[in-house]
Amino acid sequence: MARSGSGESVLERVVRILEAFTPRSPVLTVGEVARRADLPVATASRLIAELVGHGLLSRDEDRRVRIGTRLWELGSRASPTSSLRELAMPVLEDLLRVVGHHAQLGVLDGEEVLFVERLSAEHAVINYTRIAARLPLHASSSGLVLLAYGSEVLQERILAGTLARFTPMTVTDPGELRRRLADVRRQGFVLCPGFLHVDATGIAVPVRDETGHVAAAVSVIVPNDEHARGYVPVLTAGARQIERRLTQDHPRERSSRQ
């Protein structure tokens, strides 16, 4: 792999360019990409031109840059969550009809929860989640579920790190967070009233694969009121449906690889 004078490979620079795009900033100028990727504008411009040529980035009529459809195609083809997402979709659609706001599916990725699907109703309560977006584990309902069933090493790393505060309700005390993780394991669900936004409550439950490992968290985002807890049973039932679909699908996937 070719390296620059700083010892940095071209691939490392390309990765930084791609990481410059976020759900909130899907379209950027070359200068904005260069600044976010910490690259000289000339270098960023040259690499962007090559990525556009391969379809990994694209330009609009104003010469602004966005992620290209080729990158989406490759990512979708290789994604280990594609099967999980497809199996969960009918359940998420049912949950959306019941709660009338948001239903979503998240998986653990590093020290964050990555959302692989989100369905939303018109005029739904505010929700910071987007498909392919991430949230901190300690502040989101899906994140707390995944952290509660994650490894001890991961839990201790999060507890020892900085717990960012989003609202007065966000849990930022390590001792309280540890107690909440124990509650999640004991109860099998988590309720997060106002953790990310004072008007919204996140509710999440674990989804286990055929081995019993927690593979994902299914959650709903509803108004922060006295009715929120009432959605726990339907959410739990939805998670069990996804688990049954995973168990039924697993032998079919295994036989297709033989």
Side-chain angles (χ1 to χ4, degrees):
M1 179 68 64
R3 293 186 175 273
S4 67
S6 65
E8 188 178 52
S9 71
V10 173
L11 180 57
E12 288 169 332
R13 293 181 168 203
V14 167
V15 169
R16 292 219 307 276
I17 286 174
L18 297 176
E19 289 179 339
F21 298 91
T22 68
R24 292 190 176 185
S25 302
V27 183
L28 300 169
T29 65
V30 171
E32 288 170 335
V33 173
R35 185 176 68 255
R36 291 181 176 213
D38 193 23
L39 292 171
V41 173
T43 300
S45 180
R46 175 176 55 80
L47 291 174
I48 287 170
E50 292 186 36
L51 291 168
V52 169
H54 288 287
L56 302 178
L57 294 178
S58 65
R59 294 184 191 268
D60 61 21
E61 60 274 10
D62 295 322
R63 305 292 292 170
R64 295 180 304 171
V65 186
R66 67 172 66 240
I67 295 293
T69 55
R70 177 65 173 162
L71 187 60
W72 172 84
E73 176 191 357
L74 293 172
S76 299
R77 186 187 305 168
S79 173
T81 64
S82 59
S83 176
L84 173 63
R85 176 182 170 276
E86 290 169 3
L87 292 171
M89 183 62 78
V91 177
L92 294 176
E93 291 172 342
D94 289 343
L95 286 172
L96 180 64
R97 282 192 286 270
V98 172
V99 304
H101 288 273
H102 309 278
Q104 51 202 30
L105 186 71
V107 298
L108 180 66
D109 190 41
E111 298 183 2
E112 298 172 305
V113 53
L114 171 66
F115 291 93
V116 297
E117 186 56 82
R118 188 191 85 165
L119 303 180
S120 300
E122 190 176 4
H123 306 304
V125 70
I126 188 169
N127 184 3
Y128 288 139
T129 305
R130 299 288 186 273
I131 297 174
R134 301 166 182 269
L135 286 175
L137 294 176
H138 75 283
S140 59
S141 58
S142 293
L144 283 171
V145 163
L146 295 169
L147 183 59
Y149 293 97
S151 70
E152 201 170 305
V153 172
L154 173 64
Q155 291 176 16
E156 294 305 319
R157 191 161 62 240
I158 297 298
L159 287 163
T162 300
L163 301 176
R165 184 182 296 277
F166 294 86
T167 75
M169 296 298 295
T170 309
V171 177
T172 58
D173 176 71
E176 183 182 352
L177 179 57
R178 193 183 296 276
R179 289 190 293 273
R180 285 185 178 268
L181 296 178
D183 288 342
V184 173
R185 292 187 292 268
R186 177 174 54 83
Q187 298 174 344
F189 71 90
V190 68
L191 195 76
C192 298
F195 278 29
L196 283 171
H197 192 283
V198 294
D199 293 333
T201 292
I203 314 165
V205 299
V207 175
R208 300 179 184 273
D209 61 20
E210 69 283 349
T211 70
H213 172 73
V214 173
V218 61
S219 60
V220 295
I221 308 299
V222 297
N224 186 8
D225 58 28
E226 69 277 10
H227 303 296
R229 182 175 287 270
Y231 293 115
V232 171
V234 70
L235 186 58
T236 301
R240 300 296 85 79
Q241 289 182 50
I242 297 173
E243 291 173 349
R244 285 193 293 272
R245 293 172 67 87
L246 280 171
T247 301
Q248 294 165 0
D249 188 70
H250 183 70
R252 184 168 67 249
E253 287 188 349
R254 183 171 54 203
S255 63
S256 68
R257 291 193 294 263
Q258 294 175 344

